Amino acid sequence: MANILLEMKNITKTFPGVKALDNVNLKVEEGEIHALVGENGAGKSTLMNVLSGIYPYGTYEGDIIYNGEVCKFNHIKDSEERGIVIIHQELALIPYMTIGENMFLGNEKKKGAAIDWQETYGQADKYLKTVGLKESSRTLIKDIGVGKQQLVEIAKALAKNAKLLILDEPTASLNESDSKALLDLMLQFKKEGMTSIIISHKLNEISYVADKITVIRDGSTIETLDKKTDDINEARIIQGMVGRELTDRFPKREKMPVGDVSLEVKNWNVYHPLYTERKVVDDVSIKVHRGEVVGISGLMGAGRTELAMSIFGKSYGTNISGQLFLDGKEVVLKNVHDAIKHGIAYVTEDRKGNGLILSNPISINTTLANMDAVSTRGRIDKDKEYAVAVEYKEKLRTKCPTVMQNVGNLSGGNMQKVLLGKWMFTDADIMILDEPTRGIDVGAKYEIYCIINQLVAEGKSVIVISSELPEILGMCDRIYVMNEGKMVGELMAEEASQERIMSMIVQTGESKGE
């Protein structure tokens, strides 16, 4: 019989106004990959924060039994000393420090009272090799991509002698090839005896790596599925997560004739803000009509976000050139205020960093981009602000006890709804949505897709930037494909497929290599 490495028994955790975990039970066998799935707000991350000591002993009820012993972790250091290491969705790396410095931060290699840099970088290089990252440990974090940063986090965990590795949405920011490489690394670790817990909304990835899947819904354990004995498929997992069968991932939209061109970008060029000789958007031209959802597909680093942000009042880049037309009339948008005034909204991919003020309530965040609408003689009318926030809470079905709750206490899916509400309140004609469903569950995704359909039904134009090809194919009327700063293809929905999109990317990459 397999050895039970971890057992969490009857874990109950309450926050003011909400019971986040209600008698949750979890058993993880030594040497397995155990997946934890559920909708946003189901309690997955809260459970792992209890396990790792982020929520210390005494702030929850129930027992953590690890390696046969009852554990009372008061701090994350306590769990790490036992070999339990958590990697959060938002990577905890310092951009202007080297890979090696980041890996041993708080866990320094010392010679007497001083840091032993030779040992630090030597050990770091060893662990980087283990995770298959071909970078010098003296490289600054800011100089490597998100996929490589994820591997640095794993190397950092290994340097802490991890026995149980917890990965919270490890592929949320990765393209398909980087995601596959990371999942294969987890399978390699499993062969070497490592135990892992993975939280992910990407059910195809869960099916690929997990030996067992525990489903949590509304703070309670629903079931644990075993690959050896249960018939596991995505439909089965979704039913457990949402409590019903989800027959269609993408809501049907009545196809209407598209309207006039609302936005046109011609011969658009953008250079990197720091490395000003590096062109990140290269002679790009696009058109978007009223009542149309236009997708922009491409691998990470293709220039999609850089294009979107530079259009949105030059909020990214330097030496920007080209022409921008709104309803056929050329405009020059000098800043974000100009863009908002001209009816353009940009929903950032980084909701926590750039989209929302986490320490402020939902009410303030909802009206942030259009404060004039809730102001009287230059002063914010708090009653109006509250009423608007309640209206968008109900319209978007945001789960929260009150709109006075701080946004930082919401789940990822509900944060995303607040961010969408913030920009919908500006009544923008053109909505640019950058990774609008990143890191959120299938139920919340469906609701956001319904919001997109509602926007175009009102005659608005929507641009969707997404790394998930099924999402691009399922939601968009027309698709642009970007690679290495250039627009390399355009497809109507009915002629598009994953293979055709990837073929356009690969062929342009190969021709450039030649």
Side-chain angles (χ1 to χ4, degrees):
M1 188 177 167
N3 180 40
I4 301 296
L5 178 68
L6 169 72
E7 187 171 4
M8 301 183 78
K9 294 173 75 173
N10 307 118
I11 303 294
T12 298
K13 171 72 179 168
T14 305
F15 295 105
V18 60
K19 186 176 273 191
L21 298 172
D22 188 4
N23 280 303
V24 171
N25 293 286
L26 175 69
K27 279 186 185 179
V28 180
E29 291 182 6
E30 195 168 12
E32 77 175 1
I33 298 175
H34 198 112
L36 208 52
V37 301
E39 292 187 276
N40 287 103
K44 309 177 299 292
S45 295
T46 302
L47 185 66
M48 292 300 98
N49 286 340
V50 166
L51 171 59
S52 60
I54 291 170
Y55 297 140
Y57 178 75
T59 65
Y60 61 88
E61 296 168 33
D63 292 314
I64 298 171
I65 302 162
Y66 180 71
N67 247 342
E69 293 179 31
V70 176
C71 297
K72 300 177 180 180
F73 301 135
N74 291 307
H75 191 272
I76 195 164
K77 274 278 186 189
D78 296 343
S79 62
E80 287 183 350
E81 282 171 9
R82 298 295 302 271
I84 301 170
V85 183
I86 185 167
I87 299 172
H88 295 280
Q89 185 176 348
E90 280 76 31
L91 303 180
L93 299 171
I94 299 171
Y96 285 90
M97 290 179 76
T98 64
I99 291 173
E101 286 172 319
N102 270 279
M103 279 177 60
F104 290 99
L105 193 62
N107 185 30
E108 288 81 5
K109 298 290 177 188
K110 292 184 179 178
K111 188 186 282 182
I115 292 174
D116 186 339
W117 290 112
Q118 189 174 346
E119 175 73 1
T120 297
Y121 287 118
Q123 286 290 309
D125 283 328
K126 183 183 88 172
Y127 288 114
L128 291 180
K129 190 176 178 183
T130 302
V131 300
L133 182 53
K134 293 171 183 174
E135 290 283 350
S136 164
S137 58
R138 296 173 189 269
T139 303
L140 295 179
I141 289 293
K142 74 176 183 64
D143 294 330
I144 62 173
V146 180
K148 290 182 177 180
Q149 288 181 28
Q150 189 69 261
L151 292 178
V152 170
E153 282 281 21
I154 294 173
K156 183 177 173 182
L158 297 180
K160 293 174 180 173
N161 297 316
K163 304 287 187 298
L164 174 59
L165 187 62
I166 305 162
L167 299 106
D168 191 350
E169 295 289 351
T171 65
S173 301
L174 305 186
N175 61 39
E176 287 191 24
S177 58
D178 284 344
S179 297
K180 175 74 162 51
L182 191 145
L183 297 172
D184 286 339
L185 184 63
M186 288 181 68
L187 291 170
Q188 181 58 39
F189 288 161
K190 176 188 161 185
K191 284 181 186 173
E192 294 164 6
M194 172 84 76
T195 308
S196 301
I197 297 174
I198 180 172
I199 298 173
S200 178
H201 292 303
K202 296 183 180 179
L203 302 184
N204 59 323
E205 296 181 357
I206 290 294
S207 302
Y208 179 63
V209 295
D211 300 298
K212 290 200 187 78
I213 300 167
T214 293
V215 181
I216 296 180
R217 186 168 74 235
D218 297 330
S220 300
T221 314
I222 300 301
E223 61 186 345
T224 295
L225 304 170
D226 189 331
K227 198 177 266 186
K228 291 175 188 168
T229 56
D230 295 304
D231 178 22
I232 298 176
N233 55 56
E234 290 186 30
R236 175 81 177 77
I237 299 168
I238 290 168
Q239 191 169 351
M241 284 170 60
V242 301
R244 65 188 189 280
E245 209 172 334
L246 199 62
T247 52
D248 199 341
R249 299 279 188 96
F250 303 101
K252 294 284 184 284
R253 172 156 46 97
E254 190 180 338
K255 294 287 183 182
M256 303 286 287
V258 295
D260 295 332
V261 173
S262 57
L263 169 72
E264 184 173 6
V265 178
K266 282 186 179 178
N267 309 117
W268 199 254
N269 296 283
V270 182
Y271 288 80
H272 194 283
L274 294 177
Y275 307 103
T276 51
E277 73 290 343
R278 194 172 121 212
K279 192 183 272 193
V280 291
V281 176
D282 190 355
D283 199 35
V284 164
S285 297
I286 63 169
K287 281 182 185 178
V288 188
H289 297 80
R290 292 193 176 279
E292 182 182 40
V293 181
V294 170
I296 304 182
S297 183
L299 302 177
M300 193 152 301
R304 298 165 303 165
T305 294
E306 291 82 354
L307 171 65
M309 290 181 70
S310 61
I311 291 170
F312 185 59
K314 299 182 177 176
S315 53
Y316 174 92
T318 188
N319 196 18
I320 297 169
S321 64
Q323 293 175 287
L324 184 65
F325 298 86
L326 295 175
D327 295 322
K329 183 182 175 184
E330 187 171 2
V331 295
V332 177
L333 306 178
K334 294 176 183 175
N335 50 43
V336 168
H337 184 263
D338 267 1
I340 295 171
K341 200 168 66 178
H342 281 84
I344 300 177
Y346 171 66
V347 179
T348 176
E349 62 177 338
D350 182 8
R351 57 180 172 253
K352 288 190 175 182
N354 297 325
L356 299 165
I357 303 173
L358 303 186
S359 57
N360 279 4
I362 295 165
S363 56
I364 289 175
N365 276 279
T366 303
T367 59
L368 206 53
N370 191 15
M371 288 193 288
D372 287 348
V374 291
S375 299
T376 307
R377 297 193 194 94
R379 296 186 68 179
I380 292 172
D381 183 328
K382 288 292 178 184
D383 290 337
K384 266 190 193 175
E385 183 181 73
Y386 182 84
V388 166
V390 169
E391 179 192 338
Y392 278 91
K393 170 189 180 292
E394 290 169 358
K395 191 182 285 188
L396 303 181
R397 293 165 60 190
T398 309
K399 289 180 188 171
C400 59
T402 165
V403 294
M404 301 313 293
Q405 182 177 5
N406 282 354
V407 168
N409 295 331
L410 296 176
S411 68
N414 288 306
M415 276 189 199
Q416 193 67 24
K417 288 180 183 178
V418 174
L419 183 57
L420 273 170
K422 166 186 161 180
W423 288 108
M424 286 169 68
F425 181 52
T426 65
D427 197 26
D429 293 318
I430 298 155
M431 297 280 288
I432 306 172
L433 311 181
D434 196 347
E435 303 286 1
T437 65
R438 170 174 289 169
I440 65 176
D441 64 77
V442 286
K445 279 184 179 183
Y446 189 88
E447 291 179 345
I448 286 170
Y449 298 149
C450 289
I451 294 162
I452 292 171
N453 285 353
Q454 177 193 326
L455 290 168
V456 291
E458 292 167 4
K460 298 185 185 300
S461 307
V462 177
I463 298 173
V464 174
I465 298 169
S466 177
S467 299
E468 295 188 33
L469 288 178
E471 181 167 271
I472 287 281
L473 294 167
M475 284 302 297
C476 300
D477 302 302
R478 195 160 47 85
I479 300 159
Y480 286 106
V481 183
M482 277 191 84
N483 189 40
E484 297 181 345
K486 289 179 180 290
M487 206 57 82
V488 298
E490 180 184 352
L491 296 164
M492 294 304 293
E494 52 271 19
E495 60 181 345
S497 66
Q498 293 199 34
E499 291 74 21
R500 285 200 71 178
I501 292 172
M502 288 310 297
S503 173
M504 286 175 169
I505 293 168
V506 170
Q507 282 172 11
T508 53
E510 284 174 353
S511 62
K512 186 167 181 180
E514 288 166 10

